[in-house]
Amino acid sequence: GESVGLHLPTLSVQEGDNSIINCAYSNSASDYFIWYKQESGKGPQFIIDIRSNMDKRQGQRVTVLLNKTVKHLSLQIAATQPGDSAVYFCAETTPGRQLTFGSGTQLTVLP
Amino acid sequence: GAVVSQHPSRVICKSGTSVKIECRSLDFQATTMFWYRQFPKQSLMLMATSNEGSKATYEQGVEKDKFLINHASLTLSTLTVTSAHPEDSSFYICSADPSTSGGPDEQFFGPGTRLTVL
C-alpha cells in the first residue's frame, strides 16, 4: 500500500492467505529499516528490521525485502491470522538516527 | 525485552491547562528518548529528540515553548503540553533508544498517551 494524502491504505486478506504490505521510502541515505505493527490505541510494536547491506531478512512468519534501487520495502506475512489485523508502518533511519515513519497500511484479516 | 512505559495512558483536560506526560524506560537506560504525535489515521510524526542532561532538539514546526521536554535522568523523560487547546488533542508516543554505540538501532516504544483537550 502506498500512501495517498491522509488516508490510510487498506489491505484485506483471507485468514490463512499471505499478506504483502509495501512501502516506498525517499531517502537514499537511509541505512536501517524497520517494520512496526500498531494495534488500535497502542504504541508501535517491532516486527522485523533490515540493514541496507541486505536485501532480504526472514523472521517467524514474516519476511522483509529491500530494493534499494527503487527505494522500496515490503513486508510479507505468511498464513495471516486474525491477530495480525493492525496498522503496519515502515520506518527508516538516516545516519543522524532520526526515525521517519511511512504513512502506514491497515491490514484486515477476514475470517 | 526492553520495556517503555507512559503515564498517564489517557488524560482529559480543559483548554488552557497544562498536562505532563511521563515516559520511562523500565529495564534499561536511555540517553536518548523521542516524542511523537499521532493524529487519527495518520502516521507518527517526530516532535522532538530528548537528550539526557541537555536541551531537547525540536522538529521544524514544533513549538518548544508549548511542548516542554525534560530528560532529567537516563530512565525518565517528560513532555509537558502547556496551555493546551483542542487542536493539541492527539496520541502522544515516546520511544527510548538503549544504544550507546552511535549507530542506527531499534527504538522501543511506549504504549502512548491519549490527550483530549475540551
Side-chain angles (χ1 to χ4, degrees), chain A residues 6-8 31-32 34 36 38-39 41-46 49 51 87 89-90 93-95 97-104 106, chain B residues 32 34 36 38 40-46 49 57 59 91 93 95 97 99 101-112 114:
Chain A
L6 299 179
H7 301 286
L8 270 180
D31 53 6
Y32 181 55
I34 309 170
Y36 289 96
Q38 187 181 28
E39 297 175 83
K42 297 183 179 180
Q45 175 188 355
F46 173 90
D49 60 357
R51 297 191 185 274
V87 178
F89 292 98
C90 65
T93 60
T94 66
R97 304 183 67 221
Q98 287 182 344
L99 197 62
T100 303
F101 280 79
S103 58
Q106 173 73 59
Chain B
T32 305
F34 303 87
Y36 296 84
Q38 185 179 32
K41 295 193 181 301
Q42 293 189 31
S43 187
L44 282 75
M45 298 300 295
L46 180 66
T49 302
T57 304
E59 295 300 298
F91 194 49
I93 305 170
S95 70
D97 182 353
S99 172
S101 66
D105 275 296
E106 179 187 346
Q107 295 177 20
F108 297 95
F109 284 83
R114 173 73 60 194

Side-chain angles (χ1 to χ4, degrees), chain A residues 2 20-25 65-74:
Chain A
E2 301 292 334
I20 300 177
I21 301 171
N22 297 302
C23 176
Y25 65 94
L65 299 177
L66 174 63
N67 185 329
K68 295 183 288 294
T69 302
V70 295
K71 295 200 283 289
H72 184 268
L73 197 66
S74 69

Side-chain angles (χ1 to χ4, degrees), chain B residues 3-117:
Chain B
V3 178
V4 175
S5 70
Q6 282 184 241
H7 178 79
S9 58
R10 57 180 64 229
V11 56
I12 301 173
C13 69
K14 292 182 179 179
S15 184
T17 61
S18 295
V19 174
K20 180 187 283 188
I21 303 170
E22 292 185 348
C23 176
R24 294 182 184 271
S25 55
L26 299 186
D27 49 5
F28 65 97
Q29 293 184 329
T31 304
T32 305
M33 291 184 173
F34 303 87
W35 286 97
Y36 296 84
R37 180 168 51 184
Q38 185 179 32
F39 292 107
K41 295 193 181 301
Q42 293 189 31
S43 187
L44 282 75
M45 298 300 295
L46 180 66
M47 298 175 66
T49 302
S50 171
N51 301 296
E52 188 269 336
S54 63
K55 290 184 179 180
T57 304
Y58 290 81
E59 295 300 298
Q60 191 172 8
V62 178
E63 300 174 55
K64 62 180 181 181
D65 295 330
K66 180 171 181 64
F67 298 99
L68 301 179
I69 291 173
N70 184 280
H71 194 157
S73 77
L74 289 171
T75 59
L76 173 64
S77 176
T78 60
L79 169 68
T80 300
V81 183
T82 62
S83 187
H85 291 285
E87 57 266 29
D88 298 323
S89 298
S90 188
F91 194 49
Y92 291 86
I93 305 170
C94 74
S95 70
D97 182 353
S99 172
T100 57
S101 66
D105 275 296
E106 179 187 346
Q107 295 177 20
F108 297 95
F109 284 83
T113 296
R114 173 73 60 194
L115 170 63
T116 303
V117 185

Side-chain angles (χ1 to χ4, degrees), chain A residues 35-55:
Chain A
W35 278 101
Y36 289 96
K37 172 186 180 183
Q38 187 181 28
E39 297 175 83
S40 181
K42 297 183 179 180
Q45 175 188 355
F46 173 90
I47 300 174
I48 192 168
D49 60 357
I50 188 168
R51 297 191 185 274
S52 59
N53 60 353
M54 304 173 68
D55 53 22

